[in-house]
Amino acid sequence: MRALKRLAFRDRLRSLSSARKSRIVLALDITNPSTNRLRREVRDLLSRTAESIVALKINYHLMLPFSKKELTEIITVAHSHNIEVIADMKLNDIAPTNINVTSYLWEVGFDAVIANPIAGFSGGLDVVLEDAHRKGKGVIVLVYMSNSGAKETYGLTVLSEGKETSLYHEFLRRALSWGADGVVVGGTRLDVLRGISGIVAHRVDIFSPGIGVQGGSAKEAVEAGADYLIVGRSVVRAADPTKAAIEIRSDSWIVQQKGTRSLP
Ligand code: XMP
């Protein structure tokens, strides 16, 4: 795997995905008041699911209790299983602050970060993208979230260069022009997912959360254009996480057709 490190994040993930016939990004959403027990749980979960997943997504609630050393240890364990590790920061600040955050993430071994496009490019995400790509890391941009309230914001009609469009189309346009590696589009909104995948073709990878507990279907999300599925509770809280991951992996290993429509 570490030989794969010479490739860019997107290429590493694609290569792992086809080797493993999997599209699963496992959301490591476990909690435990004892960091020692938490570390054991992470190791156990990884050893039970590693064969079926391509990446691990780690949120704030796991980063906060862990020291730098502990976080590095978890990421090293994931890497030893040939798994990429994504930091779900929904990064959203001015460039100097963003770069402080991503410098830390790259230092502990993360391979990619999820960022919010709201701060914009200049003085927001410009240096993050440039620095990440120089280091073979990935930046995945939010385009449409999976929760029901996402429509209130991402679905807003906005004016862009004098033309009416949806905020999520504007975020998509930006993600493409910035050279982002991926976009997050909820797997709970198949119409949005289908529309977006019809536009982006394979210029950027689509990561879809909301599968299982939030109501999204793995197979339908992939048919609608998701390249990767972000899955948490359906695996982490399953009585048998190995079996749950294998089932989602095989349900979602189907070939997709993507279009090449232009942005509205
Ligand atoms: P479940 O248990 O619902 O967990 O499978 C989903 C995981 O994905 C995160 N999540 C999102 N992350 N954009 C994101 O970047 C989203 O729209 C989104 N929706 C859910 C959530 O934090 C959990 O880790």
mmCIF file of all heavy atoms in Angstrom, residues 96-144:
data_model
loop_
_atom_site.group_PDB
_atom_site.id
_atom_site.type_symbol
_atom_site.label_atom_id
_atom_site.label_comp_id
_atom_site.label_asym_id
_atom_site.label_seq_id
_atom_site.Cartn_x
_atom_site.Cartn_y
_atom_site.Cartn_z
ATOM 1 N N PRO A 96 -5.212 30.991 6.482
ATOM 2 C CA PRO A 96 -4.158 30.680 7.459
ATOM 3 C C PRO A 96 -4.623 29.700 8.531
ATOM 4 O O PRO A 96 -3.851 28.843 8.987
ATOM 5 C CB PRO A 96 -3.821 32.044 8.078
ATOM 6 C CG PRO A 96 -4.359 33.059 7.134
ATOM 7 C CD PRO A 96 -5.519 32.425 6.434
ATOM 8 N N THR A 97 -5.890 29.793 8.927
ATOM 9 C CA THR A 97 -6.418 28.861 9.926
ATOM 10 C C THR A 97 -6.614 27.484 9.292
ATOM 11 O O THR A 97 -6.229 26.455 9.872
ATOM 12 C CB THR A 97 -7.762 29.376 10.501
ATOM 13 O OG1 THR A 97 -7.559 30.712 10.940
ATOM 14 C CG2 THR A 97 -8.257 28.525 11.639
ATOM 15 N N ASN A 98 -7.180 27.486 8.090
ATOM 16 C CA ASN A 98 -7.380 26.198 7.399
ATOM 17 C C ASN A 98 -6.065 25.447 7.241
ATOM 18 O O ASN A 98 -6.004 24.236 7.448
ATOM 19 C CB ASN A 98 -7.970 26.431 5.996
ATOM 20 C CG ASN A 98 -9.426 26.853 6.048
ATOM 21 O OD1 ASN A 98 -10.106 26.616 7.038
ATOM 22 N ND2 ASN A 98 -9.905 27.484 4.993
ATOM 23 N N ILE A 99 -5.014 26.178 6.878
ATOM 24 C CA ILE A 99 -3.746 25.510 6.607
ATOM 25 C C ILE A 99 -3.115 24.993 7.911
ATOM 26 O O ILE A 99 -2.448 23.962 7.922
ATOM 27 C CB ILE A 99 -2.793 26.414 5.783
ATOM 28 C CG1 ILE A 99 -1.793 25.578 4.987
ATOM 29 C CG2 ILE A 99 -2.067 27.431 6.618
ATOM 30 C CD1 ILE A 99 -2.313 25.025 3.732
ATOM 31 N N ASN A 100 -3.378 25.683 9.020
ATOM 32 C CA ASN A 100 -2.917 25.161 10.324
ATOM 33 C C ASN A 100 -3.583 23.824 10.607
ATOM 34 O O ASN A 100 -2.951 22.883 11.095
ATOM 35 C CB ASN A 100 -3.292 26.121 11.463
ATOM 36 C CG ASN A 100 -2.318 27.270 11.577
ATOM 37 O OD1 ASN A 100 -1.179 27.165 11.126
ATOM 38 N ND2 ASN A 100 -2.762 28.374 12.157
ATOM 39 N N VAL A 101 -4.870 23.758 10.292
ATOM 40 C CA VAL A 101 -5.622 22.508 10.541
ATOM 41 C C VAL A 101 -5.092 21.399 9.641
ATOM 42 O O VAL A 101 -4.775 20.293 10.100
ATOM 43 C CB VAL A 101 -7.143 22.716 10.290
ATOM 44 C CG1 VAL A 101 -7.896 21.396 10.421
ATOM 45 C CG2 VAL A 101 -7.715 23.758 11.229
ATOM 46 N N THR A 102 -4.978 21.687 8.332
ATOM 47 C CA THR A 102 -4.580 20.596 7.421
ATOM 48 C C THR A 102 -3.119 20.192 7.646
ATOM 49 O O THR A 102 -2.781 19.027 7.480
ATOM 50 C CB THR A 102 -4.853 20.926 5.938
ATOM 51 O OG1 THR A 102 -4.254 22.175 5.614
ATOM 52 C CG2 THR A 102 -6.331 20.972 5.650
ATOM 53 N N SER A 103 -2.262 21.137 8.071
ATOM 54 C CA SER A 103 -0.868 20.752 8.358
ATOM 55 C C SER A 103 -0.851 19.687 9.453
ATOM 56 O O SER A 103 -0.102 18.713 9.390
ATOM 57 C CB SER A 103 -0.048 21.952 8.835
ATOM 58 O OG SER A 103 -0.014 22.911 7.835
ATOM 59 N N TYR A 104 -1.693 19.894 10.467
ATOM 60 C CA TYR A 104 -1.786 18.923 11.567
ATOM 61 C C TYR A 104 -2.306 17.582 11.034
ATOM 62 O O TYR A 104 -1.774 16.515 11.350
ATOM 63 C CB TYR A 104 -2.719 19.474 12.656
ATOM 64 C CG TYR A 104 -2.871 18.580 13.860
ATOM 65 C CD1 TYR A 104 -1.986 18.675 14.928
ATOM 66 C CD2 TYR A 104 -3.899 17.647 13.947
ATOM 67 C CE1 TYR A 104 -2.119 17.853 16.056
ATOM 68 C CE2 TYR A 104 -4.043 16.826 15.053
ATOM 69 C CZ TYR A 104 -3.158 16.924 16.105
ATOM 70 O OH TYR A 104 -3.291 16.114 17.201
ATOM 71 N N LEU A 105 -3.357 17.667 10.207
ATOM 72 C CA LEU A 105 -3.962 16.428 9.671
ATOM 73 C C LEU A 105 -2.955 15.640 8.848
ATOM 74 O O LEU A 105 -2.841 14.423 8.987
ATOM 75 C CB LEU A 105 -5.184 16.757 8.801
ATOM 76 C CG LEU A 105 -6.367 17.424 9.490
ATOM 77 C CD1 LEU A 105 -7.457 17.773 8.466
ATOM 78 C CD2 LEU A 105 -6.953 16.518 10.575
ATOM 79 N N TRP A 106 -2.191 16.332 7.992
ATOM 80 C CA TRP A 106 -1.209 15.619 7.150
ATOM 81 C C TRP A 106 -0.093 15.049 8.032
ATOM 82 O O TRP A 106 0.399 13.958 7.774
ATOM 83 C CB TRP A 106 -0.618 16.511 6.066
ATOM 84 C CG TRP A 106 -1.590 17.264 5.182
ATOM 85 C CD1 TRP A 106 -1.352 18.472 4.569
ATOM 86 C CD2 TRP A 106 -2.927 16.880 4.765
ATOM 87 N NE1 TRP A 106 -2.444 18.851 3.823
ATOM 88 C CE2 TRP A 106 -3.426 17.906 3.934
ATOM 89 C CE3 TRP A 106 -3.755 15.793 5.032
ATOM 90 C CZ2 TRP A 106 -4.698 17.863 3.347
ATOM 91 C CZ3 TRP A 106 -5.036 15.767 4.462
ATOM 92 C CH2 TRP A 106 -5.489 16.771 3.634
ATOM 93 N N GLU A 107 0.256 15.797 9.079
ATOM 94 C CA GLU A 107 1.328 15.330 9.961
ATOM 95 C C GLU A 107 0.950 14.029 10.676
ATOM 96 O O GLU A 107 1.776 13.132 10.826
ATOM 97 C CB GLU A 107 1.612 16.430 10.986
ATOM 98 C CG GLU A 107 3.000 16.360 11.570
ATOM 99 C CD GLU A 107 3.204 17.495 12.569
ATOM 100 O OE1 GLU A 107 2.739 18.633 12.315
ATOM 101 O OE2 GLU A 107 3.809 17.213 13.622
ATOM 102 N N VAL A 108 -0.300 13.933 11.108
ATOM 103 C CA VAL A 108 -0.692 12.694 11.795
ATOM 104 C C VAL A 108 -1.001 11.566 10.806
ATOM 105 O O VAL A 108 -1.196 10.428 11.207
ATOM 106 C CB VAL A 108 -1.870 12.862 12.800
ATOM 107 C CG1 VAL A 108 -1.466 13.729 13.967
ATOM 108 C CG2 VAL A 108 -3.114 13.402 12.142
ATOM 109 N N GLY A 109 -1.062 11.882 9.528
ATOM 110 C CA GLY A 109 -1.174 10.819 8.526
ATOM 111 C C GLY A 109 -2.456 10.762 7.719
ATOM 112 O O GLY A 109 -2.625 9.850 6.901
ATOM 113 N N PHE A 110 -3.377 11.715 7.931
ATOM 114 C CA PHE A 110 -4.608 11.693 7.128
ATOM 115 C C PHE A 110 -4.283 11.821 5.645
ATOM 116 O O PHE A 110 -3.270 12.429 5.266
ATOM 117 C CB PHE A 110 -5.539 12.851 7.533
ATOM 118 C CG PHE A 110 -6.348 12.572 8.769
ATOM 119 C CD1 PHE A 110 -5.970 13.094 10.000
ATOM 120 C CD2 PHE A 110 -7.487 11.791 8.704
ATOM 121 C CE1 PHE A 110 -6.706 12.829 11.147
ATOM 122 C CE2 PHE A 110 -8.239 11.526 9.842
ATOM 123 C CZ PHE A 110 -7.850 12.046 11.064
ATOM 124 N N ASP A 111 -5.162 11.265 4.800
ATOM 125 C CA ASP A 111 -4.957 11.283 3.348
ATOM 126 C C ASP A 111 -5.827 12.314 2.641
ATOM 127 O O ASP A 111 -5.553 12.681 1.504
ATOM 128 C CB ASP A 111 -5.277 9.899 2.765
ATOM 129 C CG ASP A 111 -4.390 8.836 3.391
ATOM 130 O OD1 ASP A 111 -3.186 8.853 3.109
ATOM 131 O OD2 ASP A 111 -4.889 8.023 4.197
ATOM 132 N N ALA A 112 -6.906 12.736 3.296
ATOM 133 C CA ALA A 112 -7.816 13.692 2.654
ATOM 134 C C ALA A 112 -8.636 14.395 3.731
ATOM 135 O O ALA A 112 -8.724 13.916 4.867
ATOM 136 C CB ALA A 112 -8.745 12.972 1.685
ATOM 137 N N VAL A 113 -9.231 15.531 3.327
ATOM 138 C CA VAL A 113 -10.063 16.289 4.265
ATOM 139 C C VAL A 113 -11.363 16.682 3.561
ATOM 140 O O VAL A 113 -11.363 16.925 2.348
ATOM 141 C CB VAL A 113 -9.295 17.545 4.766
ATOM 142 C CG1 VAL A 113 -9.013 18.555 3.653
ATOM 143 C CG2 VAL A 113 -10.036 18.237 5.910
ATOM 144 N N ILE A 114 -12.453 16.725 4.334
ATOM 145 C CA ILE A 114 -13.723 17.247 3.797
ATOM 146 C C ILE A 114 -13.794 18.732 4.161
ATOM 147 O O ILE A 114 -13.548 19.105 5.314
ATOM 148 C CB ILE A 114 -14.937 16.478 4.363
ATOM 149 C CG1 ILE A 114 -14.860 15.003 3.936
ATOM 150 C CG2 ILE A 114 -16.253 17.112 3.887
ATOM 151 C CD1 ILE A 114 -16.001 14.120 4.418
ATOM 152 N N ALA A 115 -14.106 19.563 3.158
ATOM 153 C CA ALA A 115 -14.128 21.015 3.379
ATOM 154 C C ALA A 115 -15.473 21.592 2.952
ATOM 155 O O ALA A 115 -16.144 21.055 2.072
ATOM 156 C CB ALA A 115 -13.003 21.666 2.584
ATOM 157 N N ASN A 116 -15.833 22.704 3.576
ATOM 158 C CA ASN A 116 -17.056 23.432 3.239
ATOM 159 C C ASN A 116 -16.686 24.530 2.234
ATOM 160 O O ASN A 116 -15.741 25.271 2.478
ATOM 161 C CB ASN A 116 -17.603 24.047 4.537
ATOM 162 C CG ASN A 116 -19.013 24.561 4.383
ATOM 163 O OD1 ASN A 116 -19.370 25.098 3.347
ATOM 164 N ND2 ASN A 116 -19.806 24.390 5.417
ATOM 165 N N PRO A 117 -17.408 24.660 1.128
ATOM 166 C CA PRO A 117 -17.011 25.653 0.118
ATOM 167 C C PRO A 117 -17.421 27.085 0.458
ATOM 168 O O PRO A 117 -17.078 28.016 -0.271
ATOM 169 C CB PRO A 117 -17.768 25.180 -1.132
ATOM 170 C CG PRO A 117 -18.979 24.501 -0.603
ATOM 171 C CD PRO A 117 -18.588 23.880 0.720
ATOM 172 N N ILE A 118 -18.131 27.264 1.583
ATOM 173 C CA ILE A 118 -18.746 28.569 1.853
ATOM 174 C C ILE A 118 -17.711 29.690 2.016
ATOM 175 O O ILE A 118 -17.988 30.842 1.702
ATOM 176 C CB ILE A 118 -19.701 28.469 3.082
ATOM 177 C CG1 ILE A 118 -20.758 29.580 3.049
ATOM 178 C CG2 ILE A 118 -18.975 28.492 4.397
ATOM 179 C CD1 ILE A 118 -21.958 29.264 2.199
ATOM 180 N N ALA A 119 -16.501 29.356 2.490
ATOM 181 C CA ALA A 119 -15.487 30.414 2.676
ATOM 182 C C ALA A 119 -14.909 30.886 1.347
ATOM 183 O O ALA A 119 -14.236 31.916 1.290
ATOM 184 C CB ALA A 119 -14.366 29.919 3.585
ATOM 185 N N GLY A 120 -15.177 30.158 0.269
ATOM 186 C CA GLY A 120 -14.677 30.582 -1.037
ATOM 187 C C GLY A 120 -13.239 30.147 -1.276
ATOM 188 O O GLY A 120 -12.607 29.508 -0.431
ATOM 189 N N PHE A 121 -12.733 30.529 -2.445
ATOM 190 C CA PHE A 121 -11.410 30.074 -2.878
ATOM 191 C C PHE A 121 -10.313 31.015 -2.368
ATOM 192 O O PHE A 121 -9.492 30.628 -1.547
ATOM 193 C CB PHE A 121 -11.407 29.989 -4.410
ATOM 194 C CG PHE A 121 -10.198 29.315 -4.970
ATOM 195 C CD1 PHE A 121 -9.946 27.975 -4.716
ATOM 196 C CD2 PHE A 121 -9.316 30.023 -5.775
ATOM 197 C CE1 PHE A 121 -8.834 27.345 -5.253
ATOM 198 C CE2 PHE A 121 -8.198 29.401 -6.311
ATOM 199 C CZ PHE A 121 -7.957 28.062 -6.050
ATOM 200 N N SER A 122 -10.356 32.258 -2.837
ATOM 201 C CA SER A 122 -9.293 33.199 -2.495
ATOM 202 C C SER A 122 -9.269 33.467 -0.987
ATOM 203 O O SER A 122 -10.263 33.920 -0.406
ATOM 204 C CB SER A 122 -9.523 34.494 -3.279
ATOM 205 O OG SER A 122 -8.629 35.461 -2.826
ATOM 206 N N GLY A 123 -8.158 33.157 -0.349
ATOM 207 C CA GLY A 123 -8.055 33.375 1.095
ATOM 208 C C GLY A 123 -8.905 32.420 1.914
ATOM 209 O O GLY A 123 -9.118 32.619 3.113
ATOM 210 N N GLY A 124 -9.419 31.378 1.278
ATOM 211 C CA GLY A 124 -10.231 30.381 1.994
ATOM 212 C C GLY A 124 -9.638 28.996 1.762
ATOM 213 O O GLY A 124 -8.847 28.483 2.551
ATOM 214 N N LEU A 125 -10.005 28.412 0.600
ATOM 215 C CA LEU A 125 -9.538 27.045 0.328
ATOM 216 C C LEU A 125 -8.393 26.988 -0.685
ATOM 217 O O LEU A 125 -7.860 25.914 -0.947
ATOM 218 C CB LEU A 125 -10.709 26.185 -0.170
ATOM 219 C CG LEU A 125 -11.741 25.803 0.895
ATOM 220 C CD1 LEU A 125 -12.884 25.004 0.286
ATOM 221 C CD2 LEU A 125 -11.092 24.987 2.027
ATOM 222 N N ASP A 126 -8.015 28.156 -1.255
ATOM 223 C CA ASP A 126 -6.970 28.122 -2.296
ATOM 224 C C ASP A 126 -5.695 27.432 -1.823
ATOM 225 O O ASP A 126 -5.221 26.463 -2.430
ATOM 226 C CB ASP A 126 -6.671 29.535 -2.845
ATOM 227 C CG ASP A 126 -6.428 30.606 -1.775
ATOM 228 O OD1 ASP A 126 -6.487 30.279 -0.570
ATOM 229 O OD2 ASP A 126 -6.164 31.772 -2.145
ATOM 230 N N VAL A 127 -5.143 27.895 -0.701
ATOM 231 C CA VAL A 127 -3.875 27.308 -0.237
ATOM 232 C C VAL A 127 -4.046 25.867 0.239
ATOM 233 O O VAL A 127 -3.131 25.056 0.115
ATOM 234 C CB VAL A 127 -3.221 28.156 0.894
ATOM 235 C CG1 VAL A 127 -2.685 29.461 0.347
ATOM 236 C CG2 VAL A 127 -4.174 28.383 2.025
ATOM 237 N N VAL A 128 -5.239 25.555 0.741
ATOM 238 C CA VAL A 128 -5.492 24.182 1.213
ATOM 239 C C VAL A 128 -5.399 23.212 0.035
ATOM 240 O O VAL A 128 -4.726 22.174 0.106
ATOM 241 C CB VAL A 128 -6.893 24.082 1.872
ATOM 242 C CG1 VAL A 128 -7.281 22.640 2.138
ATOM 243 C CG2 VAL A 128 -6.932 24.883 3.160
ATOM 244 N N LEU A 129 -6.061 23.579 -1.075
ATOM 245 C CA LEU A 129 -6.035 22.710 -2.261
ATOM 246 C C LEU A 129 -4.622 22.598 -2.827
ATOM 247 O O LEU A 129 -4.153 21.509 -3.156
ATOM 248 C CB LEU A 129 -6.987 23.265 -3.328
ATOM 249 C CG LEU A 129 -8.449 22.908 -3.045
ATOM 250 C CD1 LEU A 129 -9.387 24.040 -3.393
ATOM 251 C CD2 LEU A 129 -8.854 21.662 -3.819
ATOM 252 N N GLU A 130 -3.957 23.726 -2.896
ATOM 253 C CA GLU A 130 -2.620 23.725 -3.497
ATOM 254 C C GLU A 130 -1.654 22.882 -2.657
ATOM 255 O O GLU A 130 -0.942 22.018 -3.168
ATOM 256 C CB GLU A 130 -2.158 25.195 -3.607
ATOM 257 C CG GLU A 130 -0.933 25.444 -4.467
ATOM 258 C CD GLU A 130 0.329 25.439 -3.623
ATOM 259 O OE1 GLU A 130 0.306 25.929 -2.469
ATOM 260 O OE2 GLU A 130 1.341 24.906 -4.100
ATOM 261 N N ASP A 131 -1.689 23.089 -1.341
ATOM 262 C CA ASP A 131 -0.800 22.363 -0.429
ATOM 263 C C ASP A 131 -1.141 20.861 -0.412
ATOM 264 O O ASP A 131 -0.249 20.013 -0.459
ATOM 265 C CB ASP A 131 -0.961 22.970 0.977
ATOM 266 C CG ASP A 131 -0.163 22.236 2.029
ATOM 267 O OD1 ASP A 131 1.073 22.263 1.943
ATOM 268 O OD2 ASP A 131 -0.777 21.622 2.936
ATOM 269 N N ALA A 132 -2.439 20.566 -0.395
ATOM 270 C CA ALA A 132 -2.856 19.152 -0.361
ATOM 271 C C ALA A 132 -2.372 18.432 -1.615
ATOM 272 O O ALA A 132 -1.804 17.336 -1.532
ATOM 273 C CB ALA A 132 -4.384 19.062 -0.254
ATOM 274 N N HIS A 133 -2.578 19.040 -2.758
ATOM 275 C CA HIS A 133 -2.225 18.357 -4.016
ATOM 276 C C HIS A 133 -0.719 18.197 -4.158
ATOM 277 O O HIS A 133 -0.244 17.192 -4.686
ATOM 278 C CB HIS A 133 -2.850 19.087 -5.204
ATOM 279 C CG HIS A 133 -4.343 18.900 -5.241
ATOM 280 N ND1 HIS A 133 -5.203 19.681 -5.954
ATOM 281 C CD2 HIS A 133 -5.134 17.986 -4.597
ATOM 282 C CE1 HIS A 133 -6.452 19.262 -5.781
ATOM 283 N NE2 HIS A 133 -6.434 18.250 -4.939
ATOM 284 N N ARG A 134 0.039 19.161 -3.659
ATOM 285 C CA ARG A 134 1.504 19.038 -3.696
ATOM 286 C C ARG A 134 1.948 17.815 -2.877
ATOM 287 O O ARG A 134 2.937 17.167 -3.185
ATOM 288 C CB ARG A 134 2.128 20.322 -3.130
ATOM 289 C CG ARG A 134 3.544 20.544 -3.541
ATOM 290 C CD ARG A 134 4.022 21.987 -3.390
ATOM 291 N NE ARG A 134 3.243 22.844 -2.525
ATOM 292 C CZ ARG A 134 3.405 22.985 -1.218
ATOM 293 N NH1 ARG A 134 4.336 22.301 -0.598
ATOM 294 N NH2 ARG A 134 2.645 23.808 -0.518
ATOM 295 N N LYS A 135 1.163 17.489 -1.839
ATOM 296 C CA LYS A 135 1.535 16.382 -0.951
ATOM 297 C C LYS A 135 0.798 15.074 -1.269
ATOM 298 O O LYS A 135 0.866 14.127 -0.484
ATOM 299 C CB LYS A 135 1.257 16.790 0.496
ATOM 300 C CG LYS A 135 2.148 17.957 0.923
ATOM 301 C CD LYS A 135 1.777 18.500 2.275
ATOM 302 C CE LYS A 135 2.772 19.583 2.668
ATOM 303 N NZ LYS A 135 2.269 20.478 3.696
ATOM 304 N N GLY A 136 0.058 15.047 -2.381
ATOM 305 C CA GLY A 136 -0.670 13.819 -2.751
ATOM 306 C C GLY A 136 -1.907 13.581 -1.899
ATOM 307 O O GLY A 136 -2.434 12.465 -1.839
ATOM 308 N N LYS A 137 -2.372 14.638 -1.223
ATOM 309 C CA LYS A 137 -3.563 14.510 -0.366
ATOM 310 C C LYS A 137 -4.810 14.954 -1.142
ATOM 311 O O LYS A 137 -4.695 15.600 -2.184
ATOM 312 C CB LYS A 137 -3.413 15.408 0.881
ATOM 313 C CG LYS A 137 -2.104 15.210 1.642
ATOM 314 C CD LYS A 137 -2.071 13.898 2.382
ATOM 315 C CE LYS A 137 -0.809 13.754 3.218
ATOM 316 N NZ LYS A 137 -0.755 12.501 3.957
ATOM 317 N N GLY A 138 -5.983 14.644 -0.602
ATOM 318 C CA GLY A 138 -7.218 14.983 -1.295
ATOM 319 C C GLY A 138 -8.063 15.997 -0.539
ATOM 320 O O GLY A 138 -7.992 16.088 0.691
ATOM 321 N N VAL A 139 -8.865 16.755 -1.307
ATOM 322 C CA VAL A 139 -9.820 17.685 -0.700
ATOM 323 C C VAL A 139 -11.202 17.383 -1.293
ATOM 324 O O VAL A 139 -11.375 17.380 -2.509
ATOM 325 C CB VAL A 139 -9.434 19.163 -0.958
ATOM 326 C CG1 VAL A 139 -10.468 20.101 -0.328
ATOM 327 C CG2 VAL A 139 -8.038 19.464 -0.422
ATOM 328 N N ILE A 140 -12.133 17.089 -0.400
ATOM 329 C CA ILE A 140 -13.495 16.716 -0.806
ATOM 330 C C ILE A 140 -14.425 17.835 -0.336
ATOM 331 O O ILE A 140 -14.392 18.216 0.838
ATOM 332 C CB ILE A 140 -13.890 15.368 -0.149
ATOM 333 C CG1 ILE A 140 -12.889 14.274 -0.560
ATOM 334 C CG2 ILE A 140 -15.309 14.963 -0.526
ATOM 335 C CD1 ILE A 140 -12.955 13.017 0.312
ATOM 336 N N VAL A 141 -15.223 18.372 -1.250
ATOM 337 C CA VAL A 141 -16.012 19.576 -0.951
ATOM 338 C C VAL A 141 -17.492 19.230 -0.783
ATOM 339 O O VAL A 141 -18.061 18.476 -1.590
ATOM 340 C CB VAL A 141 -15.802 20.597 -2.107
ATOM 341 C CG1 VAL A 141 -16.739 21.786 -1.968
ATOM 342 C CG2 VAL A 141 -14.346 21.074 -2.131
ATOM 343 N N LEU A 142 -18.123 19.809 0.244
ATOM 344 C CA LEU A 142 -19.563 19.593 0.456
ATOM 345 C C LEU A 142 -20.345 20.231 -0.674
ATOM 346 O O LEU A 142 -20.098 21.394 -1.015
ATOM 347 C CB LEU A 142 -20.017 20.290 1.750
ATOM 348 C CG LEU A 142 -19.610 19.715 3.095
ATOM 349 C CD1 LEU A 142 -20.215 20.575 4.208
ATOM 350 C CD2 LEU A 142 -20.084 18.281 3.234
ATOM 351 N N VAL A 143 -21.290 19.503 -1.242
ATOM 352 C CA VAL A 143 -22.154 20.083 -2.279
ATOM 353 C C VAL A 143 -23.624 20.007 -1.867
ATOM 354 O O VAL A 143 -24.389 20.936 -2.072
ATOM 355 C CB VAL A 143 -21.893 19.412 -3.655
ATOM 356 C CG1 VAL A 143 -23.025 19.689 -4.635
ATOM 357 C CG2 VAL A 143 -20.581 19.918 -4.246
ATOM 358 N N TYR A 144 -24.033 18.888 -1.257
ATOM 359 C CA TYR A 144 -25.424 18.768 -0.782
ATOM 360 C C TYR A 144 -25.417 17.740 0.341
ATOM 361 O O TYR A 144 -25.113 16.572 0.106
ATOM 362 C CB TYR A 144 -26.343 18.312 -1.922
ATOM 363 C CG TYR A 144 -27.806 18.690 -1.726
ATOM 364 C CD1 TYR A 144 -28.458 19.522 -2.619
ATOM 365 C CD2 TYR A 144 -28.527 18.211 -0.632
ATOM 366 C CE1 TYR A 144 -29.794 19.876 -2.442
ATOM 367 C CE2 TYR A 144 -29.850 18.563 -0.446
ATOM 368 C CZ TYR A 144 -30.476 19.396 -1.361
ATOM 369 O OH TYR A 144 -31.797 19.747 -1.174
#
